[in-house]
Amino acid sequence: KDTARRNETWVRGAPQPPRIVRHPVDMYICRRGATAFTVAVQSGTPARYQWRRDFMEIPGAIGLSLTIADPTIDHAGRYDAVISNECGTVTSDGAVLTVCLGDFDCSGEITSTDFFQFLAAFFNNEPAADFDGSGEVDSVDFFGYVGAFFMSC
C-alpha cells in the first residue's frame, strides 16, 4: 500500500512538457510604432523559447516576448513561439502582425489627415518624412509614402 502511494506521488510529480496558458494575439503597428508579442507558459522544468515569423526561426528571438519597433513591411506576417523543455515541445497559436505604413499619425486607420501630416513633414524636411530610412528626405520618400497610403492596410 505504501509503495503504491509513492508511485502515485511520483507520477503526479513527474516533469511535464510545457503548457501554453496565454497565446500571442494579433497586433497592428504603424511605421514608427512598436509592439510586442508575448506567450505565457507553465513548465515544471526550465523552458526554451524560439519565436518564428511565417514558420521561419527569428535569430536571437528566444524570450517570453518578441518586441518589434520601427517596422518595415517585411515585419508583417504570422508569428508564433516554439516552447520546449526536457519533456517535450509545444507551439503557440499564430498571431498576425499587420504593418500599416500609410498610417502616418498612428491612429489605427488611414485618413486624409495622415496624408496632409506626411506632406507637412516632407516639405519641412523633417526626419519623420524619411520614409525609406536613407537619412534624406527626397522624392523616393514621397513616392514610397504615396504608394503605402493608397495600398491601405
Side-chain angles (χ1 to χ4, degrees):
K1 193 172 187 175
D2 206 34
T3 305
R5 287 187 85 152
R6 272 188 265 144
N7 287 343
E8 182 179 312
T9 302
W10 182 83
V11 170
R12 282 188 192 165
Q16 300 290 314
R19 185 172 73 84
I20 298 173
V21 295
R22 189 178 66 237
H23 292 269
V25 297
D26 293 351
M27 297 285 186
Y28 170 95
I29 190 171
C30 62
R31 186 172 69 90
R32 292 171 294 164
T35 194
F37 289 110
T38 59
V39 64
V41 176
Q42 286 182 340
S43 178
T45 61
R48 294 173 302 282
Y49 302 86
Q50 177 63 64
W51 286 91
R52 305 184 306 176
R53 184 181 74 236
D54 298 329
F55 304 99
M56 301 294 292
E57 290 185 359
I58 303 168
I62 55 172
L64 285 169
S65 64
L66 173 66
T67 300
I68 299 168
D70 297 321
T72 66
I73 199 66
D74 294 335
H75 287 99
R78 180 189 176 282
Y79 288 79
D80 61 24
V82 178
I83 303 99
S84 58
N85 68 13
E86 65 187 35
C87 298
T89 300
V90 64
T91 302
S92 73
D93 292 346
V96 175
L97 178 64
T98 301
V99 178
C100 189
L101 299 178
D103 185 8
F104 193 76
D105 63 3
C106 295
S107 67
E109 61 184 354
I110 296 179
T111 66
S112 59
T113 301
D114 295 299
F115 191 77
F116 291 119
Q117 286 183 355
F118 172 78
L119 286 179
F122 180 80
F123 286 118
N124 287 313
N125 205 31
E126 295 175 9
D130 182 14
F131 194 75
D132 66 356
S134 68
E136 297 179 54
V137 176
D138 56 22
S139 62
V140 174
D141 300 306
F142 178 81
F143 289 111
Y145 179 77
V146 169
F149 180 83
F150 287 109
M151 186 171 58
S152 192
C153 295

